[in-house]
Each structure stands twice: as structure tokens, then as C-alpha cells.
Amino acid sequence: MKNILFIPICVLTLVGFSLPVHAQSVVDSPLIWERQKASLGSVMEEYGKVTTEFFVVNDGTSPVVIEAVDTDCGCTTVDFIKDTLQHNQIGAIKVDYQPTGFGGAFEKKVVVKTNINPAGDTLYLEGFNIPYPENVASYYDYKVGNLGFRFSSINMGDVFTNAPKVKYVDFYNFKDLPITLDDALSGLPPHVKINMIPAIVPAKSRGLLAIQYDGAEKADLGFFDEKVTFQIEASGNEGISLRLLTTVQEYFAPVAKSEINQVPRLGVSEVEVDLGKISSNEQVEREITLSNMSPEPVNIRKVVTNCECMQFDLPTYDLEPGEKTTLKLIFDPSGRLGIDHKMVSIFSNDPLNPTRTIVVKSRID
């Protein structure tokens, strides 16, 4: 087994390494971990173990003895020996995770026991297991060229503007040749980046696409259905197109209870509108009152409907304290029959409710 790595903190500073401070659950613990949760992303059974490291510094004045490191699963092993961290020394504990045949999300615990805290500081590994399928052809049945995917679209989910989101998508290379990305001819929009794992995927084997979506770079809010194309190299170049489904949300930092009444607040008079029984031959209009319920200005970033049949009119997107405005909704039910639901989303600078959704219901004859 390898020794825990001890490095004077001044040396790490010279090479640009830094440890953010995260308080432990144990009161007055001198150990400060670089992180307490490591995300391994999606891991595939056939590529074997995945390794990560947890760095820790002794911020106290007395030596800390690492007496044991326990795990809660045989799939997780730790490479360490009992040793001592002096003041301002940094230790590194290497953890190996062996992917299992069980698919789905996982979270594993690693408990580091010391003379200061015999109960242990708890670290976590999280990720998503992708076991090898029994029938590759039926499992990866959506083909894009000679690459097989599980689904015809990739749901990126909610992406916030404070940090890019990465989603790992597994695929199968049905080609008789290995493939790699051609970064020089990517063709991707600025807000999307794609990496291939491993960098070269052998013939007749699986790989991962790490798809990164940057909400700030997108510079827009709401739901997006996008077709993105990247290039792969094999015997020649080939364009691979994927459909991404994403909802971009503006990020707001948590608001302290003492500040709730001081932040922008958008009031919406109705969030569920029932138009009742209507005719498919006539447009229907309904007015919603929007109000500023705070001492700060409210800015409506964007209004989005989920159907071209639902139009809107909004005279102003800025409301001063106490000010109101009218959002007019115009619904054209032409060509529609039966029970109908439409949605109108309002994005604003209200940090408590940055997205408000109005549901418009009707019964069309």
C-alpha cells in the first residue's frame, strides 16, 4: 500500500494548489478537507476501477493520527497506511471504485477515523453505474451513423447560469474502426462542448460523451430543443448530430431569512386560468395582473409560451416598487378540440421565485 502523501503547505502554494475551507461536522476538528464529496460521473463496467483522491490539511497545532479508513462497500478500496499529519501538513487518501453490474446512481461512504475524531469524518463517492447490456444491438437501438445511443434525444434538464452542467451519455461504436473526436471541425455552438471518454473508442465497444452545456454562454432563458453536430474521425470525417433538450434557469444565491422582504418580489394575480368551454372558431383573451411586491425594482427577463397558439402582450418589463402592469394572453384555439392545457412562463429577477408558470386550461368545442 502507498503512504499518505504529506506536503508542506507552503510548497503547494508555490505550485498554485489551494484548499478551500469546508467545516467538518465534528466541532473544533482541525482537519479541513479539500472536498467531502467526489463525483465520478458515469462509469462503465468494462473499463474497470475509477480512482479519485481526497486531500486534507491539518489546520490545528497538534498532530493528527489517521488510525483507520473504513468503507461501506466491497466495491470501494482505500490505499493508505496509518500515519500522522503535523501542523499545516496535507495528506492525500486515494480511493478506488470498482463498477458493479448493478445499474443506476450510487453513493458510497469512506469514513476516516483519527485520534481527534474516533467516529470519523465521512467522505462520499457518487456517480452512475452503466452495466454492460446483454444485447448491445437492442440496447443501443437509436443509430446516428454507426454510433448507437439509447434515446433519440438527450435531456440535459435544468441548467443554471452560474456554472456549466455536464451530462455523460453512453454510446456504442458499431464501426469496424476506432473513433475519436475531431476538435478542429467540431461545429458545436459556443455554449456546448463535448469530450469523448476514452479519447479513442475501439471498434465494437462502448464509450461516453461528456456533454457540457453553459447556461451563461447561451445568454438566454427558457426551454430549448437544439440540434448540435460534432465531427468524429475514423477512416474519414463524419458528422454526428444530437438533439439536446434543455431548460436554462438564471441562478440566484440563497436569500437569508432576514433579507426576504428586501429582495425583488413579483406578484402574479393568477397562476391557473380556466377559460371554461370555448369555441374553436374564436380567439379568447385573458388579462393577468403583474405587480412589484417589494421595495426593489422588478425586472421581467422574459415571457415564454409553449405554443404558437398562445400569444401575449406586455407593455413594460420593468416595475418600480408598488407598480403594476397587465399581461394580456391571447389564445387561438383554431384546429383544436377537447381538453386543452397551455403554459406561460415568466422569468424575472425575483430570487425566491425566478420562474413563474401560468397554466391556461380550456375545453374546446
Side-chain angles (χ1 to χ4, degrees), residues 155-262:
N155 188 356
M156 296 296 297
D158 288 330
V159 175
F160 291 88
T161 54
N162 63 319
K165 181 177 182 178
V166 177
K167 183 160 188 175
Y168 296 89
V169 178
D170 54 307
F171 68 93
Y172 191 85
N173 177 18
F174 286 98
K175 286 180 176 289
D176 294 322
L177 296 169
I179 61 170
T180 187
L181 289 179
D182 187 343
D183 294 327
L185 298 173
S186 70
L188 293 170
H191 60 281
V192 177
K193 295 180 181 178
I194 296 180
N195 288 315
M196 188 175 286
I197 304 171
I200 299 176
V201 177
K204 309 297 183 184
S205 65
R206 296 197 302 174
L208 287 172
L209 294 178
I211 303 174
Q212 176 180 291
Y213 197 107
D214 191 330
E217 186 70 33
K218 177 66 176 176
D220 203 351
L221 300 173
F223 175 77
F224 300 97
D225 184 341
E226 303 168 86
K227 182 179 179 181
V228 299
T229 302
F230 61 96
Q231 300 288 324
I232 61 170
E233 291 182 85
S235 57
N237 286 69
E238 179 183 354
I240 302 296
S241 294
L242 299 177
R243 182 186 178 196
L244 302 185
L245 307 178
T246 313
T247 302
V248 179
Q249 307 266 13
E250 185 174 357
Y251 173 80
F252 293 93
V255 177
K257 287 185 178 180
S258 59
E259 299 175 357
I260 286 178
N261 294 324
Q262 305 301 317

Side-chain angles (χ1 to χ4, degrees), residues 48-306:
K49 69 180 181 181
V50 182
T51 300
T52 190
E53 287 184 301
F54 291 93
F55 291 91
V56 61
V57 62
N58 178 7
D59 194 46
T61 56
S62 301
V64 176
V65 179
I66 297 179
E67 298 178 338
V69 180
D70 297 334
T71 66
D72 65 348
C73 175
C75 58
T76 308
T77 57
V78 180
D79 199 359
F80 86 106
I81 64 170
K82 297 178 183 178
D83 220 321
T84 304
L85 276 73
Q86 302 293 338
H87 170 63
N88 267 4
Q89 282 189 317
I90 292 174
I93 297 177
K94 186 173 76 170
V95 182
D96 293 333
Y97 172 75
Q98 182 66 45
T100 68
F102 297 98
F106 64 84
E107 182 178 84
K108 306 299 177 184
K109 293 181 181 180
V110 177
V111 181
V112 181
K113 299 179 179 180
T114 66
N115 62 321
I116 300 296
N117 179 20
D121 292 345
T122 303
L123 312 174
Y124 297 90
L125 292 179
E126 66 176 9
F128 196 90
N129 266 323
I130 306 177
Y132 199 85
E134 293 182 6
N135 188 318
V136 169
S138 62
Y139 192 77
Y140 296 103
D141 61 348
Y142 180 74
K143 296 287 188 64
V144 182
N146 286 306
L147 300 190
F149 293 87
R150 294 186 61 196
F151 306 105
S152 60
S153 61
I154 297 166
N155 188 356
M156 296 296 297
D158 288 330
V159 175
F160 291 88
T161 54
N162 63 319
K165 181 177 182 178
V166 177
K167 183 160 188 175
Y168 296 89
V169 178
D170 54 307
F171 68 93
Y172 191 85
N173 177 18
F174 286 98
K175 286 180 176 289
D176 294 322
L177 296 169
I179 61 170
T180 187
L181 289 179
D182 187 343
D183 294 327
L185 298 173
S186 70
L188 293 170
H191 60 281
V192 177
K193 295 180 181 178
I194 296 180
N195 288 315
M196 188 175 286
I197 304 171
I200 299 176
V201 177
K204 309 297 183 184
S205 65
R206 296 197 302 174
L208 287 172
L209 294 178
I211 303 174
Q212 176 180 291
Y213 197 107
D214 191 330
E217 186 70 33
K218 177 66 176 176
D220 203 351
L221 300 173
F223 175 77
F224 300 97
D225 184 341
E226 303 168 86
K227 182 179 179 181
V228 299
T229 302
F230 61 96
Q231 300 288 324
I232 61 170
E233 291 182 85
S235 57
N237 286 69
E238 179 183 354
I240 302 296
S241 294
L242 299 177
R243 182 186 178 196
L244 302 185
L245 307 178
T246 313
T247 302
V248 179
Q249 307 266 13
E250 185 174 357
Y251 173 80
F252 293 93
V255 177
K257 287 185 178 180
S258 59
E259 299 175 357
I260 286 178
N261 294 324
Q262 305 301 317
V263 299
R265 297 285 300 275
L266 175 66
V268 180
S269 61
E270 293 181 81
V271 293
E272 187 172 298
V273 177
D274 191 346
L275 300 177
K277 187 180 292 186
I278 62 176
S279 170
S280 61
N281 299 319
E282 296 182 8
Q283 289 188 354
V284 181
E285 297 183 2
R286 179 63 65 90
E287 293 185 348
I288 306 294
T289 300
L290 306 181
S291 58
N292 183 349
M293 303 170 62
S294 72
E296 295 294 325
V298 165
N299 173 251
I300 297 170
R301 312 291 206 211
K302 188 178 182 181
V303 179
V304 181
T305 68
N306 67 340

